[in-house]
Amino acid sequence: MDLALLRTFVTVHRAGSFTRAAALLGLSQPAVTGQIRTLERQLGRPLFLRQARGVTPTTIGDELAHRAAPHLDALLEIAEAELDGESAVRTVHLTGPPEFTALRALPALTPLTGQGLALRTSFGTAEESLDGLAAGRHDIAITTARPRGGLLSATALCDEEHVLVAAPRWAAHLGPEELREGHVVLEQLPVVEVHETLPLVSRYWHSVFESRPAASGAVIAPDLRAVLEATAAGAGLAVLPRYLCEEALAQGRLVALLEPAVPPLRTYFLVVRTGTLAHPHVARAHECLLRAAAGW
């Protein structure tokens, strides 16, 4: 059986779409469709059911994928290992949120640049990062959303604690009772956020106060580092990851308005296309991030 046909088949099985598989393989959609039809003729069985959106594997298709995919990944690993021996530098394309990628991921991966690895980084929302990863533009994505389907594989990376903060001069106007009542805080303080929908403040209020905030943003900046600086300058209250505002809290530039017994958490995931950890350079970066996250 032609290994190229099997590779195309496994890619379609993981992608759930001829169109997406074609993009990942660098082929035209008619070429992918033709290869699948050839394989189906050779086997005498249909491998996929065509639907309005993508394809669904038949029982035979699922069985073939589960048997063939590990062997194809192993062959790819051998080929990539040989290539690593011939090439001085391999490149990993990483995507994720700007703050976490800049302050956590890149410092963790930097030592690999002295070991024959090059890094290329882009920033984006969870949806943008996962779409780019699925399309083959990235090797690894860091997101706060766990992807569905068989094309992408996710591993929990770390949890991020969120803290309600403000500049000291604002905190001085609030008494203990007011700090226990979330809506009173919002009535007295403007809000600094990354988006008009107040995603971080809303999530915090839902988790801690079991209510929705009745407020609008006074300052909107699509980068948490900008939110931190505006908040420290006195623009209002904000919800920030503890790792990001820890230094400002220690310096007294920010004050934590509340310390709930169970702080709100957000989980980050390390996401790759299924099977690409067979690439040694991708596997090295993936493992390096997982090791570093144990101390975050």
Side-chain angles (χ1 to χ4, degrees):
M1 188 176 293
D2 190 337
L3 288 179
L5 297 182
L6 279 177
R7 177 171 177 257
T8 298
F9 161 73
V10 169
T11 304
V12 172
H13 186 273
R14 287 170 169 169
S17 161
F18 285 169
T19 302
R20 181 167 282 177
L24 292 171
L25 293 166
L27 301 172
S28 67
Q29 182 176 333
V32 170
T33 302
Q35 289 187 23
I36 295 301
R37 285 176 177 167
T38 298
L39 187 57
E40 288 178 327
R41 283 196 301 270
Q42 290 179 1
L43 295 174
R45 302 282 187 87
L47 297 173
F48 296 103
L49 300 175
R50 280 67 168 176
Q51 298 180 332
R53 293 186 177 181
V55 294
T56 300
T58 62
T59 301
I60 296 297
D62 263 336
E63 182 181 348
L64 178 61
H66 293 152
R67 293 176 62 185
H71 299 291
L72 287 171
D73 290 341
L75 288 172
L76 177 61
E77 184 175 4
I78 293 171
E80 286 292 325
E82 290 294 328
L83 188 57
D84 269 358
E86 298 172 3
S87 177
V89 178
R90 300 305 308 276
T91 301
V92 169
H93 295 265
L94 174 72
T95 184
E99 310 86 2
F100 190 91
T101 304
L103 300 179
R104 290 294 205 198
L106 283 178
L109 291 172
T110 296
L112 296 182
T113 60
Q115 303 171 24
L117 190 75
L119 296 172
R120 297 293 182 269
T121 307
S122 63
F123 301 139
T125 64
E127 183 178 2
E128 291 167 344
S129 295
L130 292 176
D131 284 347
L133 181 65
R137 294 192 296 273
H138 316 302
D139 298 310
I140 299 175
I142 298 172
T143 77
T144 54
R146 183 191 288 273
R148 296 180 178 179
L151 177 61
L152 304 179
S153 300
T155 304
L157 182 63
C158 65
D159 289 329
E160 171 185 88
E161 178 188 347
H162 284 180
V163 188
L164 180 65
V165 298
R169 71 180 183 87
W170 284 111
H173 295 303
L174 301 170
E177 184 63 31
E178 292 171 316
L179 290 178
R180 282 194 291 269
E181 296 293 335
H183 66 278
V184 176
V185 176
L186 276 179
E187 287 172 2
Q188 298 194 27
L189 293 183
V191 175
V192 187
E193 256 282 15
V194 294
H195 193 271
E196 296 287 356
T197 59
L198 311 184
L200 298 178
V201 169
S202 295
R203 189 180 298 113
Y204 189 97
W205 248 246
H206 181 267
S207 175
V208 176
F209 304 115
E210 298 183 347
S211 65
R212 299 180 64 180
S216 59
V219 176
I220 301 296
D223 189 304
L224 286 174
R225 291 163 295 190
V227 171
L228 184 153
E229 294 303 329
T231 305
L237 68 80
V239 172
L240 292 171
R242 185 172 289 279
Y243 82 86
L244 183 65
C245 64
E246 204 162 31
E247 183 176 350
L249 289 170
Q251 294 170 344
R253 297 173 61 215
L254 291 176
V255 175
L257 299 180
L258 285 175
E259 293 288 354
V262 182
L265 300 176
R266 181 168 64 170
T267 301
Y268 281 98
F269 297 96
L270 204 54
V271 189
V272 298
R273 287 187 305 282
T274 301
T276 56
L277 289 181
H279 297 265
H281 62 298
V282 176
R284 285 168 59 201
H286 189 272
E287 182 182 356
C288 182
L289 287 170
L290 289 177
R291 285 201 310 267
W296 292 343

